[in-house]
Amino acid sequence: MASRNNDRRARIEEMRRAEKARERRGRIITIAISGVVVAGLVGFGVYVLNKESEKKEQKVAEAKAPVTGEKTWDAKKLGRNHVTEAVKYPMKPPVGGDHNQAWMNCNGDVYKEPVAEMNAVHSLEHGAVWVTYNDKAPAAEVTKLTKRVKDTPYSLMSPVKDQTGVIMLSAWGKQLTVDSADDPRVSQFFTKYVQGAQTPEPGAACTGGLAGK
C-alpha cells in the first residue's frame, strides 16, 4: 500500500515538474516573441523616421535649387495696387501686378471655367501657385494636376485657352511651362513657391474670396 502511495506521489510530482517546465517554456517563448515584435516596431519606426527625414531633406533641396526653365520677373517692379479698372498684363497668365481687391479662393480650389486674371493675381500675392492649362492638355494630365491642387492649400487651377504652354504654373514673379504633370519640376515648383520666399503677403487668406465655377 505504502509503495503504491509513493508511486502516486512520484507521478504527481513529475506532473507538477512537467507543468512548471511548460510554463517556463511558455514564458520564454512569450518574451522572445515580444522582443521580436518590439524590435520590429522599433525598426519600422526608425524606417519611417528615416523616410520622413529624407522627404524633408528632399523638400529643402528642392526649395533651394533653381527651377530649370522657369521665367522670373523682378517682384519689386510688379505693381501691387488694388484697382477696379482692367489691367493689361505683359505675360499670360499674369504673375503679378496691380489687381482687384478680391482674391480667388485658393485653398486647393479647382475651377472648370476661366477665372478673372485680376483676382487670380491677388491670390498669387497671398503665396498661391496657380496651375493653368490650354485645350491641348490631355485629360489624364488635367486629372493628375487636379488631384495635386486639391491636396495643396494655397493653390488653384483653371483653364486658360490662349496661353502658349500646354501646362503652366505661376507664382508671384515666377512661371514655368511643362508638357506633363509628371515633370519633376512641377513638384519642385510647388515646394519652392507655395507660400515661398517670393510671396509679398505670406500667411494672407486663401479662403473668403471669390468662388468661381
Side-chain angles (χ1 to χ4, degrees):
M1 184 70 176
S3 177
R4 285 199 298 271
N5 287 337
N6 289 338
D7 290 342
R8 184 169 178 272
R9 283 196 295 270
R11 287 196 298 273
I12 292 173
E13 185 62 29
E14 181 63 27
M15 291 172 63
R16 287 176 178 172
R17 285 197 296 269
E19 181 64 24
K20 288 181 180 180
R22 282 195 296 271
E23 289 177 355
R24 284 196 298 272
R25 287 196 297 272
R27 286 195 295 271
I28 292 172
I29 291 172
T30 299
I31 293 171
I33 292 174
S34 298
V36 170
V37 171
V38 170
L41 291 174
V42 171
F44 180 73
V46 171
Y47 171 80
V48 171
L49 289 175
N50 286 339
K51 283 295 182 182
E52 288 299 318
S53 178
E54 288 175 5
K55 288 181 181 178
K56 289 180 180 179
E57 290 175 0
Q58 182 180 357
K59 287 187 175 182
V60 170
E62 286 181 344
K64 289 182 178 181
V67 179
T68 303
E70 75 174 7
K71 293 182 179 180
T72 301
W73 288 262
D74 187 347
K76 295 180 181 179
K77 295 181 180 180
L78 296 173
R80 292 181 53 202
N81 299 310
H82 289 177
V83 297
T84 55
E85 66 274 11
V87 177
K88 187 175 182 180
Y89 296 103
M91 73 293 287
K92 191 150 191 101
V95 298
D98 293 343
H99 50 269
N100 190 274
Q101 65 178 359
W103 57 89
M104 291 302 302
N105 285 335
C106 46
N107 191 35
D109 292 87
V110 175
Y111 302 104
K112 300 298 184 182
E113 297 182 8
V115 300
E117 292 181 336
M118 293 175 63
N119 303 111
V121 168
H122 197 158
S123 301
L124 301 186
E125 186 181 39
H126 289 188
V129 164
W130 182 17
V131 179
T132 56
Y133 58 95
N134 64 19
D135 292 339
K136 296 180 180 179
E141 300 300 308
V142 174
T143 298
K144 292 177 184 178
L145 291 168
T146 295
K147 184 180 186 307
R148 179 62 186 257
V149 170
K150 285 185 175 181
D151 289 343
T152 308
Y154 283 94
S155 71
L156 68 159
M157 177 174 167
S158 68
V160 176
K161 293 183 179 181
D162 54 347
Q163 70 179 28
T164 57
V166 176
I167 299 168
M168 300 179 75
L169 290 81
S170 302
W172 189 268
K174 307 288 183 180
Q175 193 165 80
L176 175 69
T177 299
V178 297
D179 295 323
S180 168
D182 294 323
D183 189 314
R185 293 175 297 168
V186 172
S187 176
Q188 184 184 7
F189 197 92
F190 270 84
T191 299
K192 193 175 182 72
Y193 296 126
V194 169
Q195 285 286 284
Q198 87 294 339
T199 304
E201 296 181 4
C206 247
T207 58
L210 297 182
K213 297 179 180 180

